[in-house]
Amino acid sequence: MRSFAPLIVSLLGAAAAVSAAEPAADAATDGNVLALTGETFNDFVKEHPLVLAEFYAPWCGHCKSLAPKYEEAATELKSKNIPLVKVDCTTEEELCRTYEVDGYPTLKVFRGPDSHKPYGGARQADSIISYMTKQSMPAVSILTEETLGDFKTMDSIVIVGYIGTDDKTANKSFTAFAESQRDNYLFGASNDAALAKTEGAKQPSIVLYKDFDEKKAVYDGKLDEEAILKWVKVASTPLVGELGPETYSKYMAAGIPLGYIFAETAEEREQFAEEFRPIAEKHRGEINIVTLDAKAFGAHAGNLNLEPEKFPAFAIQETDKNAKYPYDQSKKLDAKEVGKFIKNVLDGKVDPSIKSEPIPEEQEGSVTVVVGKNYQEVVIDNDKDVLLEFYAPWCGHCKALAPKYEELAALYADVAEFKDKVVVAKIDATANDVPDSITGFPTIKLFPAGKKNEPVEYAGSRTVEDLVEFIKQNGKYEIDGLAGGKKATEGGDVTAVPSASSTEAAETPAASDKKEEVHDEL
């Protein structure tokens, strides 16, 4: 990646382009990354207007993986006067507590010791360089004919507003949008009508320059933040991109369906990308299409209801609904035929695939068992308050909760006036499709009657008493299950349940001791 220190100087002025300070005498160097301590940290961040700090532990595997990428970024950013530092939290515990470090590595952007925020990019050298370069720039850089050329090459995507000086409304909207998106894109502006014409634009308009596909896109629609953001999301996305850990969250947040092309070799992925590009162009803004390394992330195919070892393969996921449409793996992955499949899915002519256990012929016990095929009926399409536990069979916390959860369910199922108003249910989220992404087990949500689209996630301690109170406070019917239990036993004692001293953590797949479970890390 090129160094753009001269351009930054011209854009920011001498005051912002602080010359690179020599490392403090008591700051250890490790390549171009500076190792700081509790004694040196505050003075260092006071002396430098912008610093990226990594809080790490020497034994941390993710930290070791990041180290060469962090060093590469530090080397490039040194020429832009943006230092990268690191702090060993095993020896600098107090400093790490001060900045609320609760996992490794933690990356934070500092503008002085009292102004900091989490780093918002991917843990890749190019991403770090891009993100920190954006942080060093003003929200909108004023451009001229002389500086535009270099500015366009400062990042893979840059956005320039060509707006006349007297158009105060358009300037205000563009500046507000740039402020809200400055972590994601570089923004420039020019009021030169002749320069806009040279760039194939007119005033007012916005040009998005990119180093892929058609190289630039022009927007001359209504300049309001929502409309601009919608356009930028589409224009900044490659027609056929590569899905990986650094791009996954962007695609999932795009708000439109995602088409996955699984292929095992780089050559195959390049070939499919070329073949699918016209299809992606045809449906631009309706679906994003990506290639995926099937050797590295083939297990993800199973999450899309594909056979996870039969490649190449294709599937569509509606990310907002988690609906899945796998393409028939017995057929050849022909772009023309898959193109027809894509159109049919977008037109609503294909039913989503639902991974599901069989619907229970009879419900055993007080806890209602939900599966993929009856999820809508049991959880959504009724006028009951439904408390649903999303669990995994291997989850230790789920096993510990099971007897208490059964006891909770009985408080409602065994009382005639309650059982038609409150349902306590569970679903194996590893064997059945569920609409929402579940990242830890157990996850417990209440779907209140009349507000099924506004479920409330439980975050308290896992006791019968606290769960009863949660249902009472958040359910439509405000039913006190313990009071009903007393009534049902004609005044008999209700078994007391010990209260947990603090909220219990959810168990993630990575925390499980089930070694054979495969979880890819997209």
Side-chain angles (χ1 to χ4, degrees):
M1 182 175 290
R2 292 177 57 190
S3 170
F4 295 100
L7 177 58
I8 293 175
V9 171
S10 67
L11 293 175
L12 302 183
V18 180
S19 60
E22 291 297 324
D26 49 358
T29 59
D30 181 9
N32 287 303
V33 176
L34 302 179
L36 300 181
T37 67
E39 295 180 353
T40 60
F41 188 86
N42 280 0
D43 286 343
F44 187 88
V45 295
K46 283 179 183 177
E47 294 168 3
H48 298 78
L50 181 64
V51 177
L52 179 62
E54 176 201 6
F55 297 90
Y56 76 101
W59 46 259
C60 165
H62 291 302
C63 303
K64 293 175 182 177
S65 175
L66 174 62
K69 303 167 189 174
Y70 199 62
E71 172 63 28
E72 181 183 343
T75 302
E76 173 66 26
L77 290 170
K78 184 177 181 180
S79 65
K80 301 181 182 182
N81 308 318
I82 305 172
L84 270 58
V85 304
K86 63 181 181 179
V87 175
D88 182 349
C89 288
T90 64
T91 59
E92 306 299 331
E93 296 180 7
E94 184 176 348
L95 180 62
C96 294
R97 277 196 299 270
T98 298
Y99 292 111
E100 300 177 338
V101 176
D102 54 10
Y104 307 120
T106 291
L107 298 174
K108 291 182 181 262
V109 178
F110 284 82
R111 299 179 186 273
D114 299 322
S115 176
H116 57 86
K117 67 176 183 179
Y119 165 76
R123 293 175 187 170
Q124 303 291 330
D126 284 349
S127 298
I128 294 171
I129 294 166
S130 174
Y131 187 90
M132 293 307 294
T133 299
K134 295 180 183 75
Q135 296 300 307
S136 72
M137 304 287 284
V140 179
S141 300
I142 304 305
L143 302 174
T144 66
E145 184 178 358
E146 290 71 30
T147 59
L148 176 62
D150 277 346
F151 184 81
K152 289 193 295 186
T153 61
M154 287 190 70
D155 204 6
S156 59
I157 295 169
V158 300
I159 300 171
V160 178
Y162 294 96
I163 304 169
T165 305
D166 57 346
D167 194 339
K168 294 187 175 8
T169 300
N171 275 299
K172 184 178 179 181
S173 296
F174 182 70
T175 301
F177 177 70
E179 288 283 2
S180 70
Q181 294 293 317
R182 65 177 301 162
D183 286 356
N184 301 318
Y185 306 101
L186 277 179
F187 290 90
S190 170
N191 60 13
D192 186 340
L195 183 59
K197 185 176 181 180
T198 300
E199 293 298 311
K202 60 183 180 180
Q203 294 180 331
S205 64
I206 300 171
V207 178
L208 183 147
Y209 299 93
K210 48 191 172 180
D211 62 5
F212 52 88
D213 292 342
E214 72 275 32
K215 304 303 182 183
K216 74 176 181 180
V218 179
Y219 177 79
D220 55 11
K222 186 178 179 181
L223 290 185
D224 69 70
E225 290 186 54
E226 186 176 347
I228 298 171
L229 179 59
K230 184 177 180 181
W231 173 77
V232 166
K233 282 185 175 181
V234 173
S236 65
T237 302
L239 286 172
V240 181
E242 177 81 12
L243 190 68
E246 66 278 3
T247 59
Y248 182 74
S249 59
K250 176 184 176 182
Y251 280 110
M252 294 302 289
I256 59 176
L258 183 59
Y260 300 79
I261 303 170
F262 288 86
E264 294 182 301
T265 68
E267 291 75 20
E268 278 185 308
R269 293 192 293 277
E270 289 175 9
Q271 178 184 339
F272 283 125
E274 189 63 31
E275 292 174 356
F276 276 77
R277 193 165 280 112
I279 299 168
E281 177 67 47
K282 180 180 179 180
H283 297 291
R284 190 166 206 165
E286 298 178 286
I287 185 173
N288 287 324
I289 298 178
V290 295
T291 60
L292 190 62
D293 185 346
K295 287 185 177 178
F297 305 113
H300 191 58
N303 298 331
L304 300 168
N305 297 349
L306 288 166
E307 190 176 330
E309 295 182 358
K310 190 173 182 180
F311 302 115
F314 180 82
I316 295 173
Q317 179 184 17
E318 287 186 318
T319 55
D320 56 341
K321 303 175 185 176
N322 201 27
K324 304 159 187 180
Y325 304 84
Y327 184 72
D328 188 347
Q329 287 176 274
S330 67
K331 297 180 179 179
K332 180 183 177 183
L333 201 62
D334 176 77
K336 184 177 180 180
E337 292 303 313
V338 175
K340 296 177 184 177
F341 174 74
I342 291 172
K343 187 175 188 313
N344 286 337
V345 170
L346 295 177
D347 290 344
K349 296 179 180 179
V350 180
D351 292 328
S353 166
I354 298 177
K355 180 172 67 174
S356 177
E357 295 176 297
I359 296 176
E361 294 183 6
E362 294 183 10
Q363 293 286 352
E364 298 180 1
S366 299
V367 178
T368 299
V369 176
V370 180
V371 298
K373 290 181 178 178
N374 70 355
Y375 183 97
Q376 190 72 20
E377 175 189 353
V378 177
V379 180
I380 306 300
D381 293 340
N382 56 68
D383 198 30
K384 300 177 183 179
D385 293 333
V386 180
L387 186 75
L388 182 62
E389 175 202 4
F390 300 85
Y391 76 95
W394 44 259
C395 164
H397 291 311
C398 304
K399 293 174 183 176
L401 174 64
K404 290 185 281 185
Y405 202 67
E406 185 69 34
E407 183 180 347
L408 171 73
L411 295 176
Y412 304 94
D414 294 348
V415 180
E417 62 186 284
F418 290 174
K419 67 180 181 180
D420 289 332
K421 295 181 179 179
V422 178
V423 173
V424 177
K426 65 180 181 179
I427 184 169
D428 180 351
T430 68
N432 299 276
D433 281 338
V434 295
D436 299 319
S437 176
I438 303 300
T439 58
F441 301 109
T443 291
I444 301 173
K445 295 185 180 183
L446 179 69
F447 294 79
K451 295 183 178 179
K452 297 292 188 173
N453 62 336
E454 300 176 21
V456 184
E457 187 165 343
Y458 182 67
S461 57
R462 299 182 194 128
T463 67
V464 173
E465 294 157 322
D466 287 346
L467 286 162
V468 166
E469 184 64 19
F470 176 70
I471 294 171
K472 178 183 175 183
Q473 292 293 328
N474 296 281
K476 173 182 177 180
Y477 303 106
E478 301 179 352
I479 291 176
D480 185 342
L482 288 174
K486 290 178 183 176
K487 182 177 179 180
T489 56
E490 298 181 350
D493 292 335
V494 177
T495 303
V497 180
S499 178
S501 59
S502 62
T503 301
E504 298 174 68
E507 185 172 356
T508 63
S512 168
D513 58 1
K514 184 175 180 182
K515 300 294 189 279
E516 67 270 25
E517 194 75 25
V518 177
H519 304 278
D520 51 70
E521 298 181 1
L522 280 178

